[in-house]
PDB file of all heavy atoms in Angstrom:
ATOM      1  N   GLY A   1     235.577 168.117 -14.094  1.00 95.00           N
ATOM      2  CA  GLY A   1     235.146 169.323 -14.775  1.00 95.00           C
ATOM      3  C   GLY A   1     236.111 170.052 -15.598  1.00 95.00           C
ATOM      4  O   GLY A   1     235.885 171.149 -16.101  1.00 95.00           O
ATOM      5  N   VAL A   2     237.273 169.462 -15.861  1.00 96.00           N
ATOM      6  CA  VAL A   2     238.399 170.147 -16.539  1.00 96.00           C
ATOM      7  C   VAL A   2     238.773 169.458 -17.907  1.00 96.00           C
ATOM      8  O   VAL A   2     239.056 168.285 -17.915  1.00 96.00           O
ATOM      9  CB  VAL A   2     239.644 170.292 -15.701  1.00 96.00           C
ATOM     10  CG1 VAL A   2     240.742 171.061 -16.387  1.00 96.00           C
ATOM     11  CG2 VAL A   2     239.248 171.008 -14.321  1.00 96.00           C
ATOM     12  N   ASP A   3     238.795 170.169 -18.986  1.00 97.00           N
ATOM     13  CA  ASP A   3     239.377 169.643 -20.243  1.00 97.00           C
ATOM     14  C   ASP A   3     240.667 170.270 -20.550  1.00 97.00           C
ATOM     15  O   ASP A   3     240.988 171.401 -19.941  1.00 97.00           O
ATOM     16  CB  ASP A   3     238.339 169.918 -21.446  1.00 97.00           C
ATOM     17  CG  ASP A   3     237.030 169.138 -21.320  1.00 97.00           C
ATOM     18  OD1 ASP A   3     237.045 168.106 -20.609  1.00 97.00           O
ATOM     19  OD2 ASP A   3     235.991 169.611 -21.780  1.00 97.00           O
ATOM     20  N   LEU A   4     241.421 169.709 -21.459  1.00 96.00           N
ATOM     21  CA  LEU A   4     242.743 170.268 -21.839  1.00 96.00           C
ATOM     22  C   LEU A   4     242.818 170.492 -23.450  1.00 96.00           C
ATOM     23  O   LEU A   4     242.394 169.595 -24.117  1.00 96.00           O
ATOM     24  CB  LEU A   4     243.820 169.268 -21.397  1.00 96.00           C
ATOM     25  CG  LEU A   4     245.257 169.599 -21.870  1.00 96.00           C
ATOM     26  CD1 LEU A   4     245.815 170.858 -21.281  1.00 96.00           C
ATOM     27  CD2 LEU A   4     246.156 168.382 -21.661  1.00 96.00           C
ATOM     28  N   LEU A   5     243.359 171.641 -23.687  1.00 95.00           N
ATOM     29  CA  LEU A   5     243.711 171.859 -25.108  1.00 95.00           C
ATOM     30  C   LEU A   5     245.188 171.897 -25.219  1.00 95.00           C
ATOM     31  O   LEU A   5     245.931 172.719 -24.657  1.00 95.00           O
ATOM     32  CB  LEU A   5     243.127 173.155 -25.663  1.00 95.00           C
ATOM     33  CG  LEU A   5     243.414 173.511 -27.147  1.00 95.00           C
ATOM     34  CD1 LEU A   5     242.699 172.527 -28.060  1.00 95.00           C
ATOM     35  CD2 LEU A   5     242.973 174.909 -27.450  1.00 95.00           C
ATOM     36  N   THR A   6     245.815 170.858 -25.859  1.00 93.00           N
ATOM     37  CA  THR A   6     247.220 170.752 -25.948  1.00 93.00           C
ATOM     38  C   THR A   6     247.902 171.759 -26.888  1.00 93.00           C
ATOM     39  O   THR A   6     247.117 172.280 -27.696  1.00 93.00           O
ATOM     40  CB  THR A   6     247.613 169.220 -26.420  1.00 93.00           C
ATOM     41  OG1 THR A   6     247.176 169.099 -27.710  1.00 93.00           O
ATOM     42  CG2 THR A   6     247.028 168.241 -25.480  1.00 93.00           C
ATOM     43  N   ALA A   7     249.169 171.857 -26.712  1.00 89.00           N
ATOM     44  CA  ALA A   7     249.876 172.796 -27.640  1.00 89.00           C
ATOM     45  C   ALA A   7     250.562 171.915 -28.705  1.00 89.00           C
ATOM     46  O   ALA A   7     251.133 170.881 -28.509  1.00 89.00           O
ATOM     47  CB  ALA A   7     251.005 173.564 -26.914  1.00 89.00           C
ATOM     48  N   PRO A   8     250.470 172.375 -29.999  1.00 83.00           N
ATOM     49  CA  PRO A   8     251.015 171.658 -31.082  1.00 83.00           C
ATOM     50  C   PRO A   8     252.522 171.703 -31.002  1.00 83.00           C
ATOM     51  O   PRO A   8     253.196 172.815 -30.680  1.00 83.00           O
ATOM     52  CB  PRO A   8     250.421 172.207 -32.284  1.00 83.00           C
ATOM     53  CG  PRO A   8     250.260 173.696 -31.871  1.00 83.00           C
ATOM     54  CD  PRO A   8     249.744 173.614 -30.401  1.00 83.00           C
ATOM     55  N   ALA A   9     253.291 170.759 -31.526  1.00 77.00           N
ATOM     56  CA  ALA A   9     254.683 170.867 -31.635  1.00 77.00           C
ATOM     57  C   ALA A   9     255.007 171.726 -32.862  1.00 77.00           C
ATOM     58  O   ALA A   9     254.344 171.680 -33.839  1.00 77.00           O
ATOM     59  CB  ALA A   9     255.293 169.472 -31.917  1.00 77.00           C
ATOM     60  N   SER A  10     256.103 172.627 -32.722  1.00 71.00           N
ATOM     61  CA  SER A  10     256.397 173.461 -33.800  1.00 71.00           C
ATOM     62  C   SER A  10     257.163 172.670 -34.856  1.00 71.00           C
ATOM     63  O   SER A  10     257.972 171.879 -34.624  1.00 71.00           O
ATOM     64  CB  SER A  10     257.337 174.544 -33.246  1.00 71.00           C
ATOM     65  OG  SER A  10     257.813 175.395 -34.274  1.00 71.00           O
ATOM     66  N   SER A  11     256.729 172.954 -36.131  1.00 65.00           N
ATOM     67  CA  SER A  11     257.276 172.172 -37.265  1.00 65.00           C
ATOM     68  C   SER A  11     258.431 172.986 -37.845  1.00 65.00           C
ATOM     69  O   SER A  11     259.202 172.390 -38.691  1.00 65.00           O
ATOM     70  CB  SER A  11     256.264 171.950 -38.359  1.00 65.00           C
ATOM     71  OG  SER A  11     255.592 173.204 -38.706  1.00 65.00           O
ATOM     72  N   GLY A  12     258.627 174.213 -37.492  1.00 62.00           N
ATOM     73  CA  GLY A  12     259.714 175.072 -38.149  1.00 62.00           C
ATOM     74  C   GLY A  12     260.499 175.716 -36.993  1.00 62.00           C
ATOM     75  O   GLY A  12     260.568 175.165 -35.911  1.00 62.00           O
ATOM     76  N   GLY A  13     261.197 176.804 -37.379  1.00 62.00           N
ATOM     77  CA  GLY A  13     261.821 177.577 -36.353  1.00 62.00           C
ATOM     78  C   GLY A  13     260.961 178.426 -35.450  1.00 62.00           C
ATOM     79  O   GLY A  13     259.805 178.255 -35.473  1.00 62.00           O
ATOM     80  N   PRO A  14     261.592 179.154 -34.547  1.00 68.00           N
ATOM     81  CA  PRO A  14     260.799 179.910 -33.575  1.00 68.00           C
ATOM     82  C   PRO A  14     259.875 180.913 -34.295  1.00 68.00           C
ATOM     83  O   PRO A  14     260.264 181.476 -35.367  1.00 68.00           O
ATOM     84  CB  PRO A  14     261.867 180.679 -32.835  1.00 68.00           C
ATOM     85  CG  PRO A  14     263.174 179.936 -32.964  1.00 68.00           C
ATOM     86  CD  PRO A  14     262.979 179.201 -34.290  1.00 68.00           C
ATOM     87  N   THR A  15     258.667 181.015 -33.798  1.00 74.00           N
ATOM     88  CA  THR A  15     257.658 181.856 -34.370  1.00 74.00           C
ATOM     89  C   THR A  15     256.681 182.341 -33.297  1.00 74.00           C
ATOM     90  O   THR A  15     256.698 181.772 -32.170  1.00 74.00           O
ATOM     91  CB  THR A  15     256.972 181.117 -35.511  1.00 74.00           C
ATOM     92  OG1 THR A  15     256.043 182.149 -36.189  1.00 74.00           O
ATOM     93  CG2 THR A  15     256.083 179.903 -34.983  1.00 74.00           C
ATOM     94  N   ILE A  16     255.839 183.215 -33.592  1.00 82.00           N
ATOM     95  CA  ILE A  16     254.789 183.689 -32.612  1.00 82.00           C
ATOM     96  C   ILE A  16     253.505 183.804 -33.451  1.00 82.00           C
ATOM     97  O   ILE A  16     253.429 183.850 -34.702  1.00 82.00           O
ATOM     98  CB  ILE A  16     255.053 185.050 -32.052  1.00 82.00           C
ATOM     99  CG1 ILE A  16     255.242 186.152 -33.011  1.00 82.00           C
ATOM    100  CG2 ILE A  16     256.372 184.956 -31.136  1.00 82.00           C
ATOM    101  CD1 ILE A  16     255.278 187.547 -32.486  1.00 82.00           C
ATOM    102  N   HIS A  17     252.404 183.900 -32.726  1.00 86.00           N
ATOM    103  CA  HIS A  17     251.107 184.061 -33.384  1.00 86.00           C
ATOM    104  C   HIS A  17     250.701 185.505 -33.211  1.00 86.00           C
ATOM    105  O   HIS A  17     251.066 186.224 -32.324  1.00 86.00           O
ATOM    106  CB  HIS A  17     250.020 183.238 -32.600  1.00 86.00           C
ATOM    107  CG  HIS A  17     250.103 181.787 -32.739  1.00 86.00           C
ATOM    108  ND1 HIS A  17     251.034 181.013 -31.996  1.00 86.00           N
ATOM    109  CD2 HIS A  17     249.500 180.926 -33.618  1.00 86.00           C
ATOM    110  CE1 HIS A  17     250.969 179.735 -32.245  1.00 86.00           C
ATOM    111  NE2 HIS A  17     250.082 179.577 -33.238  1.00 86.00           N
ATOM    112  N   ALA A  18     249.993 185.917 -34.270  1.00 90.00           N
ATOM    113  CA  ALA A  18     249.564 187.380 -34.323  1.00 90.00           C
ATOM    114  C   ALA A  18     248.517 187.520 -33.203  1.00 90.00           C
ATOM    115  O   ALA A  18     247.739 186.552 -32.914  1.00 90.00           O
ATOM    116  CB  ALA A  18     248.973 187.720 -35.636  1.00 90.00           C
ATOM    117  N   PRO A  19     248.429 188.702 -32.575  1.00 91.00           N
ATOM    118  CA  PRO A  19     247.391 188.881 -31.565  1.00 91.00           C
ATOM    119  C   PRO A  19     245.999 188.608 -32.019  1.00 91.00           C
ATOM    120  O   PRO A  19     245.172 188.021 -31.252  1.00 91.00           O
ATOM    121  CB  PRO A  19     247.616 190.365 -31.197  1.00 91.00           C
ATOM    122  CG  PRO A  19     249.040 190.715 -31.538  1.00 91.00           C
ATOM    123  CD  PRO A  19     249.334 189.882 -32.684  1.00 91.00           C
ATOM    124  N   ALA A  20     245.695 188.945 -33.205  1.00 93.00           N
ATOM    125  CA  ALA A  20     244.288 188.700 -33.759  1.00 93.00           C
ATOM    126  C   ALA A  20     244.057 187.207 -33.731  1.00 93.00           C
ATOM    127  O   ALA A  20     242.880 186.855 -33.539  1.00 93.00           O
ATOM    128  CB  ALA A  20     244.169 189.270 -35.149  1.00 93.00           C
ATOM    129  N   ALA A  21     245.028 186.435 -34.063  1.00 92.00           N
ATOM    130  CA  ALA A  21     244.758 184.991 -34.039  1.00 92.00           C
ATOM    131  C   ALA A  21     244.458 184.462 -32.728  1.00 92.00           C
ATOM    132  O   ALA A  21     243.550 183.604 -32.458  1.00 92.00           O
ATOM    133  CB  ALA A  21     246.020 184.305 -34.617  1.00 92.00           C
ATOM    134  N   TRP A  22     245.176 185.003 -31.665  1.00 93.00           N
ATOM    135  CA  TRP A  22     244.919 184.458 -30.287  1.00 93.00           C
ATOM    136  C   TRP A  22     243.525 184.994 -29.852  1.00 93.00           C
ATOM    137  O   TRP A  22     242.729 184.273 -29.270  1.00 93.00           O
ATOM    138  CB  TRP A  22     246.027 185.038 -29.380  1.00 93.00           C
ATOM    139  CG  TRP A  22     247.103 184.074 -29.126  1.00 93.00           C
ATOM    140  CD1 TRP A  22     248.453 184.237 -29.458  1.00 93.00           C
ATOM    141  CD2 TRP A  22     247.056 182.695 -28.527  1.00 93.00           C
ATOM    142  NE1 TRP A  22     249.141 183.111 -29.100  1.00 93.00           N
ATOM    143  CE2 TRP A  22     248.328 182.211 -28.512  1.00 93.00           C
ATOM    144  CE3 TRP A  22     245.997 181.967 -28.018  1.00 93.00           C
ATOM    145  CZ2 TRP A  22     248.589 180.977 -28.066  1.00 93.00           C
ATOM    146  CZ3 TRP A  22     246.294 180.736 -27.551  1.00 93.00           C
ATOM    147  CH2 TRP A  22     247.572 180.157 -27.595  1.00 93.00           C
ATOM    148  N   VAL A  23     243.200 186.287 -30.161  1.00 93.00           N
ATOM    149  CA  VAL A  23     241.931 186.834 -29.788  1.00 93.00           C
ATOM    150  C   VAL A  23     240.747 185.961 -30.416  1.00 93.00           C
ATOM    151  O   VAL A  23     239.773 185.638 -29.688  1.00 93.00           O
ATOM    152  CB  VAL A  23     241.844 188.316 -30.216  1.00 93.00           C
ATOM    153  CG1 VAL A  23     240.354 188.812 -30.020  1.00 93.00           C
ATOM    154  CG2 VAL A  23     242.718 189.181 -29.447  1.00 93.00           C
ATOM    155  N   GLU A  24     240.905 185.645 -31.613  1.00 95.00           N
ATOM    156  CA  GLU A  24     239.832 184.864 -32.323  1.00 95.00           C
ATOM    157  C   GLU A  24     239.739 183.476 -31.629  1.00 95.00           C
ATOM    158  O   GLU A  24     238.658 182.947 -31.329  1.00 95.00           O
ATOM    159  CB  GLU A  24     240.150 184.658 -33.783  1.00 95.00           C
ATOM    160  CG  GLU A  24     239.105 183.900 -34.522  1.00 95.00           C
ATOM    161  CD  GLU A  24     239.416 183.703 -35.972  1.00 95.00           C
ATOM    162  OE1 GLU A  24     240.444 184.282 -36.449  1.00 95.00           O
ATOM    163  OE2 GLU A  24     238.507 183.083 -36.731  1.00 95.00           O
TER     164      GLU A  24
END
């Protein structure tokens, strides 16, 4: 009953996602 959404490899330097992007 469990699926996985993998994390993409970062193509550039360190970065973060905006809160609105995570919320959406």
Side-chain angles (χ1 to χ4, degrees):
V2 179
D3 293 335
L4 170 69
L5 183 64
T6 64
S10 178
S11 57
T15 185
I16 62 171
H17 292 84
W22 269 118
V23 169
E24 181 180 0

